[in-house]
Amino acid sequence: MEALRETDEKYMRLALNEAHIALENGEVPIGAVIVAGGAVVGRGHNLVETLCDPTAHAEIQAITAAASTLGGKYLPDCTIYVTVEPCAMCAGALAWSRIGRIVYGAGDPKRGYTTISERILHPKTKVQNGVLAAECEKLMTDFFAKLR
């Protein structure tokens, strides 16, 4: 169990790096990485403002990259690490990808998928929350505090 926690923290730090890239580009600081067999196969950060596209969330970018890397649309042997709980749209995309595991840091009580329904996900998908939550939450809190 300790080894899994260390692995989750390692990859969540990579997701946090992606979130910092988003922040540097004026985006909501959310980052994601997708891992298969111990290797990063997809990564992404929010590009909503950059692309003027409300669907350009970090998870969507990472799913697209992973599917391209792996050569298929299904990701059952993959884990996504995302700094904030996926929204309903991203949870739906993760369900369609049949992702094996979702690990997220900060919860999102306003727009997170658990607020809507956990039944969105594929039945075989496992979920772990709260990994490096304090760091993920601080990044979001600091970002929105500057907007006020």
Side-chain angles (χ1 to χ4, degrees):
M1 196 63 164
E2 181 68 23
L4 182 58
R5 185 183 64 76
E6 288 176 10
T7 298
D8 286 349
E9 288 181 2
K10 170 187 170 183
Y11 291 115
M12 186 61 76
R13 290 195 191 293
L14 294 178
L16 278 163
N17 288 343
E18 289 294 319
H20 283 286
I21 294 169
L23 180 65
E24 291 167 8
N25 290 303
E27 299 280 352
V28 175
I30 299 174
V33 296
I34 296 179
V35 176
V40 174
V41 295
R43 62 180 68 231
H45 53 270
N46 273 4
L47 290 170
V48 172
E49 301 301 326
T50 302
L51 299 177
C52 295
D53 178 356
T55 68
H57 290 197
E59 298 94 327
I60 304 298
Q61 304 306 311
I63 291 167
T64 300
S68 177
T69 299
L70 297 173
K73 62 184 178 181
Y74 297 127
L75 308 172
D77 299 322
C78 296
T79 298
I80 187 167
Y81 294 87
V82 60
T83 56
V84 176
E85 176 184 7
C87 69
M89 175 186 71
C90 292
L94 289 163
W96 284 110
S97 77
R98 299 184 187 169
I99 193 101
R101 188 165 175 252
I102 299 169
V103 178
Y104 67 87
D108 185 350
K110 290 183 181 177
R111 300 204 188 274
Y113 77 92
T114 56
T115 306
I116 298 158
S117 171
E118 289 191 25
R119 290 179 284 158
I120 291 171
L121 298 175
H122 189 275
K124 292 183 180 178
T125 299
K126 293 178 174 59
V127 178
Q128 174 66 49
N129 64 358
V131 175
L132 300 181
E135 292 177 50
C136 295
E137 289 170 7
K138 183 173 179 0
L139 190 57
M140 294 294 286
T141 302
D142 290 352
F143 173 78
F144 285 109
K146 289 179 183 175
L147 294 179
R148 294 186 188 129

